[in-house]
Amino acid sequence: MRGFWVTVALEESPLSAEAVLDVSGLTTRFSTPDGVVHAVNDVSFELRAGEFLGVVGESGSGKSVTMMSLLKLIPMPPGHIDAGVADFGGDDLLSIDAAALRTIRGGQIGFIFQDPMTSLNPVLTIGKQLCEPVMLHTGADRKAAKARAIELLDLVGIPDAAQRFKNYPHELSGGMRQRVMIAMALACEPKVIIADEPTTALDVTIQAQIIDLVKDLREKLNTAVIWITHDLGVVAGLADRVIVMYGGRIVEQSPVAELYARPEHPYTQGLLNSVPRIDQKGGELTSIPGQPPSLLAEPTGCSFAPRCPHAFDRCLTEIPQLAAIDAAGEHLSACFWDTVEGRERT
Amino acid sequence: MTETMNAPTPAPDGASTGAPILEVTDLKKHFPIMKGLVRRKVGDVRAVDGISFQIRKGETLGLVGESGCGKSTTGRVILQLDRATEGSVKYEGEELVGKSTSQMRGLRPNMQMVFQDPHASLNPRMTVASIIEEPLIEHRFGDRAERLAWIEELLGLVGLSPTHANRYPHEFSGGQRQRIGIARAIALNPDFVVCDEPIAALDVSIQAQVVNLLERLQDELSLTYLFISHDLSMVRHLADRVAVMYLGRMVELAPVDALYESPQHPYTQALHSAVPVPNPIVEFGRERIILKGDIPSPANPPSGCSFHTRCPIATAECAERVPEWRETNPGHWVACHLV
Ligand SMILES: Nc1ncnc2c1ncn2[C@@H]1O[C@H](COP(=O)(O)OP(=O)(O)OP(=O)(O)O)[C@@H](O)[C@H]1O
Ligand SMILES: Nc1ncnc2c1ncn2[C@@H]1O[C@H](COP(=O)(O)OP(=O)(O)O)[C@@H](O)[C@H]1O
Ligand code: SF4
Ligand code: SF4
Ligand SMILES: [Mg+2]
Ligand SMILES: [Mg+2]
């Protein structure tokens, strides 16, 4: 909802708010038997206080690895973070010690995963799992933690919260489990929540319930949210700003209304043309030819070049850098071609 | 018994233009629930619970609904890959329910299926050529040279190259594997193809490729499709008529424009409004119908109208009586007391 107004009232929007998280030059690779996977290449972005940042891209484009690298949630080895700084309130998340990172993880930064079953412990009641982080991060005693846990279950719309407190994860439906995950992420009133495809596994009417809940919570809590998804529709309704990833890089970044009205990068344009809309009669779907790139080779040019209708010789030998294409410096694209002017960008 | 109360005997669709290739009448598929050491039957999962509809020659009928509502089971029972518990499936006027496997064999070439998971549905130890050749051999299609020539042509039809013939499935991307599955499905020149979530496992940019391929093949080979999907936007793009299922029953069936522009059933309306639109300005102005609660289990469906536990306009009657499946406008079928 806010996304729209943000762009309409660009001046006094949270777009100009300070950054709570400032990532630059993040590079993460995996050493596998097949070779080195260049999963995240020189990724830089900031998350501003209270904003909702959407991250879209196809599977394998590096969305999860980017965010999980920030909290060292990737398996290391085979993963290794080879470069980058992630400034979070003066600390560099990528270089602080393990104990400090643990306090931040689940405390000031909450994480919500696609499949709640992988992050909930099947042999503990959801109540116990909610109380633990509350006690750990706020120093509350058992009784206070329980009261807080029930309050949180209530907040995320779980009926009969006091009863449900005693349930095990398998006794809940997928939608309810995702609500519990949200409650856990909120437990310590984090400054930042990172949600990785939190509704992808859910049915569409249940997804609508969760999105409705998240919108409602945002108004109440004013937490900054990073929401990873491959669904361009979900982002359109939720985000203030959007990052588009392709081949382990950010290829476009923009306020939400601007991105959908004037997508700049040929990949974003192709993506928007290839999805049908429920509110429109079907015309031709323009598909993007070819396939997403393999990340096994070190890129030497634009990784979209084999599929790009505008590719020219420069695209094969030089990696395009993300750069502002509007006066306000809010809309960024990583492409050598100016699709509006129809000529090479200078 | 509640199911027999409304005993939906369908009249042929009023607005019908093409002749029906498939007629489904009061079809049911119940899976027994077994419990305990002696495997006693304690109940039934009513995966498909009395549905009636037709598919016309050359059309695409979209079948939509949320996970577990019985879409795949419907597709499988139509093709007799699962046996019906009750009801009738007529293909070109011929009853399929009750046919033996060998009796079905003669009909198999006409009716094929494309599966959701392009990884699981292709044998990893077989080359692309042998995967496509298998049904050809089974149905004694030509000699080896003729088969190989046809396989080459099929690969071209689905946008692969003849050089792919001797490779193995793991050497292909998801979209390419789905093309192999499609080549196999059309190898015997079928008339009717059930596509069960053929794009659900694919990346967004690849989905459009496969859908465009399916549409082109439909034109070139005059195929009839039952297109099963939970993606309502894609179904709007490619279906001629659309059926909506909820907990094993059909709740609405209508020509595509009517279903999307004036949905009548409260569930269809909610389903619609839940689908996000990739346009922030549209999203900003949209009113959402947020359904309460979860989808009930088909092992224990609610009484009366099975949607009544979540329906925003349910009345007392809804919990008691199963709504009748009736034609409210020519070609527009709905099961709701209040429509
Ligand atoms: N072989 C089986 N034995 C027992 N129950 C089954 C079997 N096959 C399906 N079911 C049940 O029947 C119901 C309908 O299943 P079906 O696979 O047809 O759903 P669907 O609409 O295709 O769902 P999805 O969108 O998840 O693919 C579900 O509750 C399912 O668990
Ligand atoms: N544990 C791992 N080992 C090797 N490669 C990995 C691992 N985790 C992720 N990758 C690779 O990193 C790339 C980016 O993955 P990911 O960030 O998960 O993509 P997505 O955008 O779908 O979230 C992919 O090529 C993926 O295969
Ligand atoms: S840099 Fe070149 S290949 Fe890459 S998106 Fe732009 S025009 Fe296309
Ligand atoms: S019959 Fe009743 S419960 Fe069912 S959809 Fe209609 S109004 Fe709702
Ligand atoms: Mg991911
Ligand atoms: Mg299915």
Side-chain angles (χ1 to χ4, degrees), chain B residues 251 265-267 304-315 317-319 321-323 335-339:
Chain B
V251 297
H265 196 280
Y267 177 63
C305 171
S306 52
F307 186 55
H308 85 258
T309 53
R310 302 173 80 201
C311 180
I313 58 166
T315 63
E317 184 195 15
C318 302
R321 253 177 9 94
V322 178
C336 170
H337 293 306
L338 299 190
V339 170

Side-chain angles (χ1 to χ4, degrees), chain A residues 182-264:
Chain A
I182 294 172
M184 285 176 82
L186 291 173
C188 307
E189 295 177 5
K191 279 207 205 102
V192 173
I193 289 181
I194 300 175
D196 191 353
E197 311 237 13
T199 59
T200 302
L202 302 177
D203 271 315
V204 60
T205 62
I206 309 297
Q207 165 171 287
Q209 292 175 350
I210 299 288
I211 288 177
D212 196 48
L213 166 70
V214 170
K215 279 183 176 163
D216 186 49
L217 289 175
R218 266 197 78 204
E219 314 236 308
K220 287 187 191 145
L221 306 175
N222 199 38
T223 309
V225 181
I226 296 176
W227 185 288
I228 301 175
T229 178
H230 62 266
D231 188 326
L232 290 158
V234 168
V235 164
L238 275 174
D240 299 313
R241 288 192 308 136
V242 183
I243 283 174
V244 183
M245 289 193 73
Y246 187 81
R249 276 175 199 279
I250 296 178
V251 295
E252 186 159 8
Q253 176 182 316
S254 166
V256 68
E258 169 80 6
L259 184 83
Y260 287 80
R262 279 173 292 283
E264 258 299 318

Side-chain angles (χ1 to χ4, degrees), chain A residues 58 173 205 209 278 283 288, chain B residues 66 205 209 236-237 291 294:
Chain A
E58 296 175 81
S173 67
T205 62
Q209 292 175 350
I278 193 165
I288 305 177
Chain B
E66 292 175 283
S205 78
Q209 292 178 4
R236 171 159 206 183
H237 170 78
L291 293 178
D294 283 316

